[in-house]
Amino acid sequence: MLIPQTEAELAAIVAEAEGPFHVQGGGTRPIGGPVAGMPLSTSGLSGIALYEPGALTLVAGAGTPLAEIEQVLAAEGQRLAFEPMDHRGLLGTEGVPTIGGVFAANVSGPRRIQAGAARDFLLGVRFVDGRGQVVRNGGRVMKNVTGYDLVKLMAGSYGTLGVLTEVALKVLPDTATAATLTLTGLDDGTAIRVMARALGSPFEVTGVAHRPDGPEGVPLTLLRLEGTERSVAYRAAEMARLLAAFGEVQIDHDTARTRQTWQGIRDVKPFHGVSGDVWRLSVKPSDAAGVVAGISSARALYDWAGGLIWVLVPEGTAAGDVRAALSGVGGHATLIRGGERDAAFHPLDPTIEALQCGLRQRFDPRGLFNFGLMGVAA
Amino acid sequence: MEMPRPNPDILARKPQLLARLSGVLPSDALISDPAETRAYECDALTAYKCPPLAAVLPSSTQQVSDVLRICHEMGVPVVPRGSGTSLAGGALPTEDSVILGVARLNQVLETDYENRFIRVQSGRTNLSVTGAVEADGFFYAPDPSSQLACAIAGNVAMNSGGAHCLKYGVTTNNLMGVTMVLMDGTVIELGGAHLDAAGYDLLGLVCGSEGQLGVVIEATLRILHKPEGARPVLMGFDSNEVAGQCVSDIIKAGVLPVAIEFMDRPCIRACEAFARAGYPDCEALLIVEVEGSDAEIDEQLETIMEIAHSHNPVELRQSTSAEESARIWLGRKSAFGAMGQINDYMCLDGTIPVTELPYVLRRIGEMSGEFGLDVANVFHAGDGNMHPLILFDANKPGDLERCEALGAEILKLCVEVGGCLTGEHGVGIEKRDLMTDQYAPEDLEIQMAVKDVFDPKWLLNPAKVFPLAASEAHRIAAE
């Protein structure tokens, strides 16, 4: 395993490379692949270079442990609003998740529907391209339209375009209190309507999820409210009134328990240690229940009001059988655990794929980085 | 301002080009009479003008695709145009180019409250997107000052912001999908009603690419339910440093206002003379707005007022009614008009780290003295996006050049303190030649490589964004 300690060292390694690399952060999110090549970790490029709480910005080496960043932010009453998932429990991996890995896979949690995705909080990047050149894009300010937005391009490109060395991100204030509202016994279709109603209200819901098989087999529809104590109390009452027609709304004002509940949803806890392949589907929320009904023997966990569906299917289920459920409705499906790993990423329209290949060839002409990931045949 | 010399070969083939375009467009959608093409000679950066070879106003996807295919085959540059409100010259044509205006593509295609999006044709104006959903309690968040006139096409091209991005983000954070036509006429879909991309985030790449990668003809936009209410508070301080510190303290306190606007003394005075909003005569003025229910607003303002008090404000006025709110916003909203009354002005758009505000304002004051031109500052303080307004006299020889030179120095200062050349207006031609101050050659090279992929012949808006010397090799290779 190569673990360069500086950006310059990394650039030299890439410039002189004769074979491909398997680029990774902490290696906790092995999605797709398998990837051939010499393992190359960014974990040596670690450390917070700048943190200005009053400007809501933080700059850190790509290999900085996520936990270190979360700890530093918490000390100032701030947080990563996009709430990145920890994949270790679901995938059974070990290791230290890095901030670079979070952005390389564009990992966002339940708050994505209200606050935005990881890519929305990434302000700037430094990376080493396939020629071994250091490239800078974006910056450390919140509004920046100077030149093309390669920051977005790098987010979610799984290390196939370059090796991230440094990221600048926007952070937000944490909230003092959080509450969970629960409705029980709703079928998937009704739950989707409830969640849409909640999100279409002015009450700023920061989590909207549905578990068709709750702890005792009873469906649970969950809403999260965050803010000051008074504000959360007010909005919880308003929300309960708004949704009264769908059944009794239980309100749990315990902040610690709410955090735990939503961490479980973020990390897809119901599927931890349960055998089967796990898929991640992104769809228009109102299509969600129909899509799940179209996959045989599927267990589902709906997040993002139905826009994100975690699906557990029997081991070895063909990728085509899962993706067939999306035909005619749009969206995409990514295999996260088990199954046909080389079919993990959603097939692209040929014109889009040609553009993607073109970009790949410009950024990494020798095909050094995570060759074969994301279905990009270089 | 240097632009590439028009290609005489293209000028000579104008009749053939018009003949082919008239085969795919209705007669009223093709404009080539020099008296009429003059309407397209510039955008809101009026200092630079050049009538195009022709202007086309397609009203369907097929027409856009046909026009681009023909121009692609004939090697004719195309400059896409929304409403022409760019302050950066993003829609400035060259003599050998065709302006492709999307103004006739202005329909709402789909409104979906359950999934909270609206799909519109890109010629629709920003404000009329909100207009289409506000009766049902919804709105589209990005709100550039030109929102009455500016088109979604231009918003996407420039990744436009507005006063409320501290809370709601800019265009790229509210854009879910586009239908885009590539230069060869191929129609592609990026994103849609679902979230995040399969594959690379090409949608994020296209947003802010200044019409150089494709022509966006439809957009799927996130709509939000309107907040229950909003209320501003006005604060006056006797120094920029203190006002800057107050902004930082508010943010650190965990309150996230929907907008924090900052005006300096020259701006306050001009606005007061123009709008009579009752602003205090002081060094720095902040307007801080929060949203929510009445009780939630009270709670947030309580915290904000407490912080403001600790900085000894010369004025602290909390709105208690819709009339008072309107009055507090009145001066700020008429700032540009007020400046226009005094003189010609150039509006800059750099962004700086919020912590550098006091230093940058002091330096701008010094530079203003050195150049002998007044500068008024009005900007979105929460996110550090500054809009220094340099006053000059367009009729006075040399004044425009001096103004541009001062503008360049101010933008370089923004870069020097860790910021950038443009926060929401775009590079266009205006900041094109300053790009090398922010980016190293390899940083620009890889951006131009992106254009090589989407538009290998470099026909879409080719003379923008990158310094001509830097893009020359790409443009020549494409010929």
Side-chain angles (χ1 to χ4, degrees), chain B residues 108-417:
Chain B
V108 172
L109 301 171
E110 187 182 1
T111 308
D112 184 334
Y113 294 121
E114 198 182 349
N115 296 299
R116 299 178 306 132
F117 70 83
I118 184 170
R119 197 158 58 85
V120 299
Q121 289 185 309
S122 67
R124 196 168 181 88
T125 62
N126 174 292
L127 196 59
S128 73
V129 172
T130 290
V133 295
E134 69 183 340
D136 296 300
F138 284 77
F139 74 112
Y140 173 61
D143 58 343
S145 303
S146 56
Q147 67 179 155
L148 185 64
C150 66
I152 292 298
N155 290 183
V156 173
M158 295 309 200
N159 188 15
S160 304
H164 294 80
C165 359
L166 185 57
K167 179 168 177 191
Y168 295 113
V170 295
T171 301
T172 192
N173 311 116
N174 291 276
L175 179 69
M176 301 171 70
V178 296
T179 301
M180 182 171 96
V181 188
L182 299 174
M183 188 63 216
D184 66 3
T186 311
V187 181
I188 63 170
E189 303 273 344
L190 301 174
H194 57 273
L195 294 172
D196 300 335
Y200 294 161
D201 188 355
L202 301 185
L203 180 66
L205 180 63
V206 161
C207 190
S209 62
E210 308 209 5
Q212 291 196 310
L213 303 183
V215 178
V216 169
I217 54 169
E218 288 174 21
T220 303
L221 307 169
R222 164 69 68 221
I223 51 173
L224 301 170
H225 196 286
K226 280 193 276 191
E228 288 179 88
R231 223 185 299 149
V233 49
L234 179 141
M235 313 168 184
F237 295 98
D238 52 18
S239 87
N240 290 328
E241 276 84 353
V242 175
Q245 190 56 50
C246 186
V247 170
S248 184
D249 288 352
I250 290 171
I251 290 172
K252 263 197 283 194
V255 189
L256 194 66
V258 65
I260 305 180
E261 296 291 295
F262 191 120
M263 295 163 76
D264 70 356
R265 186 190 282 276
C267 189
I268 299 166
R269 284 196 172 156
C271 290
E272 190 52 26
F274 181 77
R276 309 211 177 284
Y279 287 176
D281 188 19
C282 58
E283 277 306 311
L285 192 143
L286 294 178
I287 299 174
V288 183
E289 182 158 275
V290 296
E291 288 180 345
S293 66
D294 270 340
E296 289 175 295
I297 290 174
D298 286 342
E299 189 180 12
Q300 295 174 76
L301 287 185
E302 211 172 280
T303 310
I304 290 170
M305 297 290 273
E306 206 173 293
I307 293 166
H309 267 301
S310 73
H311 291 287
N312 299 316
V314 297
E315 171 110 2
L316 190 55
R317 195 197 309 162
Q318 187 180 330
S319 162
T320 56
S321 67
E323 292 73 37
E324 280 178 41
S325 298
R327 218 170 136 67
I328 287 177
W329 276 108
L330 177 68
R332 167 62 186 91
K333 288 194 170 164
S334 52
F336 289 59
M339 289 300 154
Q341 287 260 311
I342 302 175
N343 224 327
D344 300 303
Y345 68 81
M346 180 169 146
C347 174
L348 304 179
D349 175 44
T351 306
I352 57 166
V354 181
T355 38
E356 300 289 339
L357 262 180
Y359 169 71
V360 169
L361 287 172
R362 193 169 64 243
R363 280 292 296 133
I364 289 177
E366 289 164 11
M367 290 170 166
S368 158
E370 288 159 25
F371 280 78
L373 291 172
D374 286 334
V375 180
N377 284 290
V378 50
F379 54 89
H380 316 306
D383 44 36
N385 186 194
M386 308 190 71
H387 293 307
L389 304 174
I390 308 175
L391 299 173
F392 71 104
D393 183 349
N395 294 319
K396 200 162 134 196
D399 238 30
L400 173 64
E401 290 72 19
R402 210 144 43 94
C403 168
E404 287 182 333
L406 172 55
E409 288 308 310
I410 292 175
L411 293 181
K412 285 180 194 172
L413 171 66
C414 292
V415 173
E416 195 185 296
V417 300

Side-chain angles (χ1 to χ4, degrees), chain A residues 190-211:
Chain A
T190 309
I192 298 289
R193 285 205 303 283
V194 166
M195 296 192 285
R197 180 75 69 86
L199 267 187
S201 79
F203 305 122
E204 294 192 3
V205 197
T206 66
V208 195
H210 178 65
R211 282 187 68 182

Side-chain angles (χ1 to χ4, degrees), chain A residues 52 56 112 119-120 136 138 143 145-146 148 160 200 202 204 228 230-231 234-235 282 285-286 332 356, chain B residues 115 167 172-173 195-196 200-201 212 225 228 296 299 351 355 380 383 385 422 424 438-439 443 447:
Chain A
E52 289 183 346
L56 300 175
R112 191 253 180 276
R119 56 89 95 172
D120 294 299
R136 226 165 29 102
K143 279 166 85 179
V145 296
T146 321
Y148 293 169
T160 60
E204 294 192 3
T228 62
R230 270 191 280 168
S231 168
Y234 164 77
R235 285 181 285 144
S282 176
S286 61
H332 50 92
Q356 190 158 306
Chain B
N115 296 299
K167 179 168 177 191
T172 192
N173 311 116
L195 294 172
D196 300 335
Y200 294 161
D201 188 355
Q212 291 196 310
H225 196 286
E228 288 179 88
E296 289 175 295
E299 189 180 12
T351 306
T355 38
H380 316 306
D383 44 36
N385 186 194
T422 172
E424 56 183 1
Q438 181 167 339
Y439 286 120
D443 302 335
Q447 292 182 37

